[in-house]
Amino acid sequence: YTAEAGFASSSVSATGGSASVTTDGTAGETSGTIQVTFSAGSTAGVGSVILTVVDSEGDEATATAPVTISISPVPTIAGIPTAASIVEGQTLTVPGPITLTSEDGFAASNAFVLQVDGGTAVDLGVMASATSPVELTDVALPTEALTPGTYEILFTLTDGDGDQATFLHILNVEAISFFLADEMDDDDQLFLEINGSINADFTLPTQNDDSDPYSYYVLGGRVKVTNGATLTIPAGSVLKGRTGSGSNATALLIARGSKLIADGTASAPIIFTAFADDLTNQDVAADIFVGTTLNAVDNGLWGGLIILGDAPVAAPDDDPGIEGIPNTDLDGRYGGSTADDNSGIIDYVSVRHGGSLIGSGNEINGISLGGVGSGTTITNVEVVGNNDDGIEWFGGTVDVTNAVVWNAFDDALDTDQDWTGTCSNFIVVTPDGSAFELDGPEPSGTAATGCHSFDDGLVFAGSNIDHLVDWDPDTNAELTNIYFYGWDDTYSSIDDNPATMEDEEFDPIETFGGDGACTSATWEYTLATGGAAVGDIFVGVPGAALTPVAQNANTVGPTDQTGFEWTYAAKAGGLTSIGL
């Protein structure tokens, strides 16, 4: 400015934002500089700054500076869950992908950081030279030192011109402990109830501190074995799941990296059942294996047994969550790269009356195996009266031998996601779904890494069976040495549509052979008296693979109860009723 009469004062106004005088003129001086700061508003367009200078005689002059206002694009963060739970000492890993976008590039340093409850910011490693968008997977967060409690984790992304996006994640850190309670039931029987996460090695005690023996154990909810811990269950134990559904469904979950040692014997099996079952440890010791209040058709009264491992899977997601567990529970993740991963020993184990409802059409399987490796021992297992599938494999490499599935209210044996193990010496009795529901790698079109096999088995179809074998076109499965029988004389490749009461095509054997890479052969069968012909039952099966036999004159699969005498199915007459 110039002011021959000397500077007196200045003022500033603005449109499209706000302005202020930050360095003013000096009173009495005839010339000088005035500095003005303008802060743009939130609307793009044209604004202005108007400066007025007054001299000592009261004369004034004004000057207007036009301003063009543009809106800087704001960066975005996507792919982080809003909440998660871990146990004390665990590292929280966000599987992602976490997607970061920024039209203005990224800040030169510390572009993507996190703070835990206002602590020191930690750089998560996005470089300034990165091209938008950036995808991050398996981001490990520094949570190992967090004590039990609830924490706010604030993610902040800064772009090249200083604009920021934030995302708030709530993390619950659970104590490395679980809750045990001695209680008496209405029959004055002492039981031990377990709740929470078992995060350190633990063996179920057979008696309490006063040396009173426990009658049974109770799973009070979703009991998890996590943090690399091992749960050991003594032979002859009875574990009862309380009734619950949805997110409160009761289950025993062995998380990836942890182990279950459930090493029963033929004379002292380990039994998972419902709380309504009267069975006790003492009954097992006395060779009483069938509860007095429940039978083989009772189902859906609790969840089931879920075992997760680090073996390979072919799933649509990089780090999938197991069916039946909320996806927000990170302990439900499974799969990895360790083919011989070891999740423990499951031997002489009976799982009864499970499959509680999680959501519409979503129940828990009797035994779920997610990414379980070949280092795991699973033999002599039984599932009875489950409201969903009997045994379901989700990828992995584990073998299962000597298995019985009786009265599955969906499929008896179900495979998914490129499981490449073998199930041998097995019996399927009266499923409501299919005897075999066989699916391969996911998504469709993914190459299989090998075949999964069922060998030396027996299927008694019963009155309510859907498919004998339901392959999908991508199934990498082979079935050898199987005996099929026991369907009604109305069962065939023509069925009545219940909606129209008209005949429609139905194939008891659906898409025989799956992807065609695995060889199925040596099937024996007994047709129903007066029922459909072989071609109407074994649709698409080569004649060379089929051999007719008289009922229970099979030479493949189990021919009697040998090795299965310990099971509920044998004790309750379920095997005798089908001719074994």
Side-chain angles (χ1 to χ4, degrees):
Y1 69 90
T2 58
E4 292 184 11
F7 176 82
S9 66
S10 70
S11 61
V12 69
S13 62
T15 62
S18 60
S20 61
V21 175
T22 52
T23 303
D24 209 350
T26 302
E29 289 191 351
T30 58
S31 64
T33 299
I34 296 173
Q35 186 177 48
V36 173
T37 296
F38 174 77
S39 297
S42 59
T43 303
V46 177
S48 64
V49 181
I50 304 170
L51 175 65
T52 300
V53 177
V54 181
D55 67 11
S56 60
E57 293 178 349
D59 295 325
E60 63 180 39
T62 63
T64 300
V67 180
T68 300
I69 303 167
S70 60
I71 301 300
S72 177
V74 176
T76 63
I77 305 170
I80 303 173
T82 56
S85 295
I86 61 173
V87 295
E88 187 177 4
Q90 278 189 326
T91 298
L92 174 63
T93 300
V94 182
I98 302 174
T99 303
L100 311 175
T101 59
S102 174
E103 293 185 23
D104 292 329
F106 298 103
S109 62
N110 295 329
F112 188 43
V113 301
L114 66 82
Q115 289 178 299
V116 179
D117 273 0
T120 303
V122 176
D123 187 358
L124 294 179
V126 176
M127 303 301 294
S129 60
T131 300
S132 176
V134 169
E135 285 193 352
L136 305 176
T137 58
D138 296 327
V139 177
L141 308 183
T143 57
E144 300 92 336
L146 296 181
T147 57
T150 300
Y151 296 87
E152 293 184 346
I153 298 182
L154 182 66
F155 296 84
T156 301
L157 177 64
T158 305
D159 71 9
D161 61 4
D163 293 321
Q164 291 186 331
T166 61
F167 184 89
L168 184 63
H169 172 89
I170 304 300
L171 177 64
N172 180 48
V173 179
E174 301 174 357
I176 302 181
S177 63
F178 51 100
F179 307 103
L180 298 171
D182 290 324
E183 299 184 44
M184 301 291 288
D185 64 16
D186 293 341
D187 296 324
D188 295 327
Q189 293 176 322
L190 181 67
F191 67 88
L192 183 70
E193 180 159 349
I194 312 165
N195 285 275
S197 297
I198 299 174
N199 308 314
D201 292 353
F202 182 73
T203 299
L204 289 181
T206 56
Q207 58 193 26
N208 71 358
D209 292 340
D210 296 326
S211 297
D212 293 325
Y214 289 116
S215 291
Y216 53 89
Y217 308 92
V218 172
L219 303 173
R222 190 191 316 151
V223 175
K224 302 185 294 185
V225 182
T226 66
N227 206 41
T230 297
L231 170 64
T232 301
I233 300 175
S237 296
V238 175
L239 293 88
K240 302 183 181 184
R242 287 198 181 274
T243 301
S245 60
S247 61
N248 296 317
T250 299
L252 177 61
L253 184 152
I254 312 302
R256 182 170 51 190
S258 298
K259 292 181 182 179
L260 172 65
I261 305 299
D263 195 5
T265 66
S267 59
I270 294 167
I271 298 170
F272 292 87
T273 186
F275 190 75
D277 196 337
D278 280 354
L279 195 68
T280 67
N281 300 342
Q282 290 76 24
D283 291 334
V284 174
D287 197 26
I288 302 172
F289 291 160
V290 181
T292 58
T293 52
L294 299 176
N295 59 47
V297 299
D298 291 311
N299 67 89
L301 302 182
W302 70 291
L305 177 60
I306 301 172
I307 303 171
L308 307 178
D310 192 54
V313 303
D317 301 321
D318 289 337
D319 195 32
I322 195 67
E323 180 179 280
I325 298 298
N327 202 43
T328 54
D329 188 340
L330 298 182
D331 291 318
R333 309 284 182 172
Y334 65 95
S337 58
T338 310
D340 61 350
D341 190 45
N342 183 357
S343 294
I345 299 172
I346 297 89
D347 193 13
Y348 289 102
V349 170
S350 177
V351 181
R352 309 174 181 179
H353 317 301
S356 58
L357 183 68
I358 301 301
S360 179
N362 183 17
E363 298 85 20
I364 296 178
N365 304 307
I367 301 176
S368 296
L369 304 171
V372 178
S374 60
T376 309
T377 298
I378 303 180
T379 188
N380 300 306
V381 292
E382 174 189 44
V383 178
V384 175
N386 200 76
N387 194 39
D388 197 31
D389 301 331
I391 304 173
E392 184 163 4
W393 293 261
F394 298 85
T397 56
V398 66
D399 294 335
V400 176
T401 61
N402 307 340
V404 176
V405 178
W406 181 21
N407 283 353
F409 280 71
D410 196 4
D411 307 314
L413 302 169
D414 194 340
T415 67
D416 302 274
Q417 300 175 352
D418 199 26
W419 171 51
T420 55
T422 297
C423 178
S424 59
N425 194 34
F426 59 89
I427 299 173
V428 171
V429 183
T430 59
D432 271 14
S434 300
F436 300 90
E437 173 72 31
L438 306 178
D439 296 318
E442 299 174 8
S444 179
T446 302
T449 59
C451 296
H452 59 271
S453 304
F454 290 92
D455 182 64
D456 196 27
L458 176 150
V459 174
F460 184 88
S463 301
N464 298 319
I465 194 168
D466 187 19
H467 296 87
L468 293 175
V469 188
D470 187 4
W471 271 280
D472 79 5
D474 294 317
T475 296
N476 54 318
E478 60 186 16
L479 278 68
T480 54
N481 301 306
I482 314 292
Y483 174 45
F484 296 92
Y485 71 119
W487 50 86
D488 290 348
D489 58 10
T490 58
Y491 187 66
S492 75
S493 61
I494 301 295
D495 200 8
D496 286 333
N497 184 321
T500 64
M501 296 308 295
E502 296 179 354
D503 288 343
E504 63 178 16
E505 291 294 330
F506 168 78
D507 292 339
I509 307 295
E510 183 75 27
T511 320
F512 175 79
D515 65 0
C518 310
T519 301
S520 295
T522 319
W523 292 7
E524 296 181 348
Y525 65 91
T526 302
L527 294 175
T529 302
V534 59
D536 291 328
I537 298 294
F538 295 94
V539 178
V541 183
L546 296 170
T547 301
V549 295
Q551 183 162 321
N552 296 113
N554 52 300
T555 63
V556 298
T559 57
D560 55 34
Q561 297 185 26
T562 300
F564 299 101
E565 300 93 339
W566 67 276
T567 63
Y568 183 118
K571 298 287 183 180
L575 300 185
T576 300
S577 68
I578 65 171
L580 294 181

